[in-house]
Amino acid sequence: MLRRTPSLFKPFPILETDRLILRRLQQTDLRDVFEYASNENISRQVLWDAHQSLRESQRFLDYTFERYRRGEMAPFAIEHKTDRKMIGTIDFAWWERGNGTVEIGFALSEKYWGLGLIPEAARAMHQFAFEKMGVIRIEARCFAENSQSIRVLEKMGMTYEGTLRQRLLVKGERRNVHMYSILHQEWKQQEQIY
């Protein structure tokens, strides 16, 4: 008889920081998802196209809800505690269990840029990955010309490892990608400072 390993994502975890709650997406988040996902300033720097309608945002929610139902890794909604508004998502794009590595990604409503919210959310995600998922390395990638994301990744305590030249074909254009990472022992040292 096969024994199923309990999922870290069922029930889906809730993580909390000083200003944020990281939780499951909900149907009531539909308009908030569309608000940031339809913004060309955001979609220009990610792999997905800007949402053109609420229906596209609903498809993203439906896909995510199915992942929650199956106990799979899925996006966390970023809820601003003061505003009580879902302002973006943060997630692990993939997890190589055998290598102890995950990749983190995020999208944030432009209205909340420059407030240090993604580094704050990432600290909670780093803790979850290192302590609960047992990873030893967290990776992040961004397009080489995305100076805002580069600053955010550095504030997250991640180290630049190099440029993957013409790594991705995105929206018909070959893009150079910067690779960043943080290791478990580096995170532990940083946490002692906080």
Side-chain angles (χ1 to χ4, degrees):
M1 178 182 200
L2 282 176
R3 202 174 197 176
R4 293 196 74 191
T5 308
S7 171
L8 290 172
F9 298 96
K10 194 168 190 174
F12 197 77
I14 299 172
L15 310 177
E16 195 167 339
T17 71
D18 289 342
R19 297 179 290 172
L20 305 170
I21 298 171
L22 308 181
R23 56 155 174 86
R24 289 171 60 124
L25 283 152
Q26 302 166 355
Q27 186 58 46
T28 53
D29 296 325
L30 176 62
R31 291 196 179 277
D32 291 338
V33 169
F34 181 70
E35 183 179 312
Y36 77 80
S38 62
N39 185 327
E40 295 284 344
N41 290 332
I42 294 170
S43 67
R44 183 180 318 122
Q45 301 299 343
V46 295
L47 299 178
W48 41 267
D49 293 323
H51 292 192
Q52 300 300 311
S53 67
L54 284 172
R55 177 170 284 155
E56 286 184 56
S57 297
Q58 184 62 57
R59 281 198 293 270
F60 165 70
L61 286 179
D62 291 343
Y63 168 79
T64 304
F65 295 158
E66 180 60 21
R67 293 187 68 84
Y68 293 151
R69 188 189 68 72
R70 293 193 308 244
E72 296 175 353
M73 209 167 50
F76 286 78
I78 303 171
E79 180 181 316
H80 195 281
K81 285 181 179 178
T82 303
D83 296 354
R84 303 302 296 173
K85 181 177 175 63
M86 198 285 291
I87 60 172
T89 56
I90 190 165
D91 68 334
F92 299 118
W94 50 261
W95 178 11
E96 287 183 11
R97 291 175 192 242
N99 287 317
T101 304
V102 295
E103 180 181 350
I104 194 168
F106 50 85
L108 184 69
S109 172
E110 190 174 12
K111 295 176 186 176
Y112 292 86
W113 289 2
L115 302 175
L117 296 174
I118 290 298
E120 182 175 325
R123 275 197 296 278
M125 295 290 282
H126 289 175
Q127 181 175 5
F128 183 81
F130 289 128
E131 293 184 353
K132 303 292 187 195
M133 296 169 72
V135 305
I136 56 118
R137 173 185 168 88
I138 300 173
E139 295 179 356
R141 296 180 293 169
C142 70
F143 297 133
E145 69 279 2
N146 188 348
S147 58
Q148 290 175 304
S149 282
I150 289 168
R151 281 194 303 278
V152 168
L153 295 173
E154 289 169 351
K155 288 179 182 176
M156 288 165 55
M158 302 189 94
T159 299
Y160 171 71
E161 294 188 332
T163 300
L164 309 174
R165 298 176 301 149
Q166 296 187 14
R167 172 64 175 88
L168 295 174
L169 178 62
V170 180
K171 302 164 190 165
E173 182 184 349
R174 279 275 163 206
R175 306 284 291 270
N176 294 338
V177 174
H178 282 342
M179 175 66 80
Y180 285 78
S181 73
I182 185 169
L183 303 178
H184 185 226
Q185 64 264 28
E186 295 167 339
W187 170 77
K188 283 173 78 170
Q189 291 169 348
Q190 289 178 12
E191 286 302 293
Q192 291 171 356
I193 296 169
Y194 290 105

